[in-house]
Amino acid sequence: METWLVIGISGVTNGGKTTLAKSLLSYFSDNLNKIIFKENITLNKVTMLSQDDYFLPVDSPKHKVVEKLNHINWEIPSSIDMDKMCHDIMKILGHKFILYNCHQLSKSEGDNNIAEQVEPDSAADEDNIFADHFLSNYLNRYDEACAATAGNQRTSNLIKKSKNESFQNMNIKLNVLLIEGFLIFNHPFTLDLCNIKFHLHLPYEKCYARRIERTYDPPDVVGYFEMCVWPLYEKHFKEFKDQPDIFMLNGEIAKENIFNYVLNCVK
């Protein structure tokens, strides 16, 4: 049975989420079979999934078109095949797995300009490295879907551990799954799954300035940012911005500083 740390990285368009995720992927890949977390935890393997890889094809009938712009709306959940993404996540995690507990993580002092997070419950048992975590809304759904092709075998089995049970003396091989995407915290499955969550934010002007420097396929049409990208970002951001377990990161900070801060939080 494998133990997984699932890191979720969300953010505004051009906020730096993919850059951050790839930097973490590179760092973890360079440190496989090394002890970089607690003294009894060895990094075993790392993998990454990007939500952008699950956009529906341009000719999909599921797309919604913005009539005033005659352009597909790529900023809404229906533009993404989240069912496939969730199935792929479950395939990576395996038949049975344990989630590493990051609830003891807290904000580092002196980094107020990079991130802000509510302190975790002081009553939590910091010795328990396993999450008391259960994807009740979606676990059965994905089990049933896979059972049709796997001989009724469960695709996943999240193991719940008592908060009073200590695992300090166990030697653990830890796997890391990085999930990045602009709507991963707006889907209950990926929101619930991530042990530790980061969101990169930019103000309107900085976001627009970065957006117009990028090339998209299909390309943005005039007015798309103002009518779709930013208003829908604000709408989706509002759905989770007050959650105390999400680290809100300032996307204007140098990417090296953001990376070091996030790595310090994870370790």
Side-chain angles (χ1 to χ4, degrees):
M1 186 181 301
E2 294 187 316
T3 303
W4 286 89
L5 167 63
V6 184
I7 302 173
I9 302 172
S10 179
V12 67
T13 178
N14 295 281
K17 54 188 177 294
T18 304
T19 298
L20 174 59
K22 288 183 176 179
S23 296
L24 290 169
L25 177 66
S26 177
Y27 175 83
F28 290 137
S29 297
D30 290 341
N31 286 278
L32 294 179
N33 301 313
K34 297 180 181 179
I35 297 175
I36 62 171
F37 295 92
K38 295 183 178 180
E39 61 183 9
N40 62 328
I41 299 175
T42 302
L43 183 58
N44 184 48
K45 62 183 176 183
V46 58
T47 189
M48 172 179 159
L49 278 183
S50 175
Q51 194 174 43
D52 284 359
D53 293 334
Y54 294 89
F55 275 117
L56 296 172
V58 175
D59 59 355
S60 172
K62 295 182 180 180
H63 278 305
K64 306 295 183 183
V65 175
V66 183
E67 293 184 2
K68 290 183 178 180
L69 301 175
N70 192 29
H71 189 74
I72 293 173
N73 190 343
W74 298 97
E75 315 307 314
I76 52 180
S78 61
S79 69
I80 301 170
D81 190 347
M82 281 303 298
D83 280 344
K84 186 177 188 307
M85 183 176 184
C86 292
H87 278 293
D88 287 350
I89 290 171
M90 300 307 280
K91 288 179 182 178
I92 291 172
L93 296 179
H95 173 52
K96 291 185 178 181
F97 61 92
I98 298 170
L99 289 177
Y100 181 79
N101 185 10
C102 282
H103 293 304
Q104 70 270 29
L105 296 172
S106 60
K107 182 177 64 175
S108 300
E109 295 182 2
D111 286 330
N112 293 334
N113 61 329
I114 297 179
E116 180 178 356
Q117 188 206 31
V118 176
E119 294 293 333
D121 185 359
S122 60
D125 182 0
E126 295 186 359
D127 292 336
N128 173 27
I129 64 170
F130 293 110
D132 183 10
H133 189 102
F134 190 67
L135 304 175
S136 57
N137 291 333
Y138 283 85
L139 183 59
N140 289 335
R141 174 182 173 185
Y142 289 101
D143 283 339
E144 291 169 0
C146 197
T149 58
N152 294 321
Q153 185 181 48
R154 289 178 64 88
T155 60
S156 63
N157 186 8
L158 299 189
I159 307 302
K160 298 181 70 177
K161 293 291 182 178
S162 167
K163 290 184 178 180
N164 296 321
E165 191 172 357
S166 175
F167 294 88
Q168 278 187 315
N169 297 322
M170 293 180 63
N171 293 319
I172 299 166
K173 289 186 176 181
L174 182 66
N175 304 322
V176 175
L177 172 59
L178 297 159
I179 302 175
E180 70 93 7
F182 72 114
L183 289 177
I184 61 172
F185 297 153
N186 299 95
H187 190 283
F189 182 87
T190 42
L191 174 66
D192 198 24
L193 177 67
C194 295
N195 308 91
I196 182 168
K197 309 174 182 72
F198 299 95
H199 179 84
L200 286 146
H201 178 75
L202 288 174
Y204 179 96
E205 294 78 9
K206 177 65 71 172
C207 183
Y208 179 74
R210 291 186 183 182
R211 178 88 181 192
I212 61 177
E213 294 297 321
R214 294 273 296 272
T215 301
Y216 292 89
D217 183 20
D220 285 352
V221 297
V222 176
Y224 182 69
F225 182 87
E226 296 86 347
M227 290 184 62
C228 293
V229 176
W230 189 259
L232 286 169
Y233 166 68
E234 288 190 314
K235 175 181 180 294
H236 296 141
F237 182 44
K238 186 177 180 180
E239 293 177 7
F240 61 81
K241 69 176 183 178
D242 294 326
Q243 286 206 192
D245 63 338
I246 299 178
F247 287 81
M248 299 297 174
L249 306 178
N250 181 354
E252 295 186 273
I253 300 296
K255 60 183 180 181
E256 294 82 5
N257 293 348
I258 294 175
F259 168 77
N260 289 329
Y261 176 84
V262 168
L263 187 62
N264 183 60
C265 290
V266 172
K267 294 170 65 175

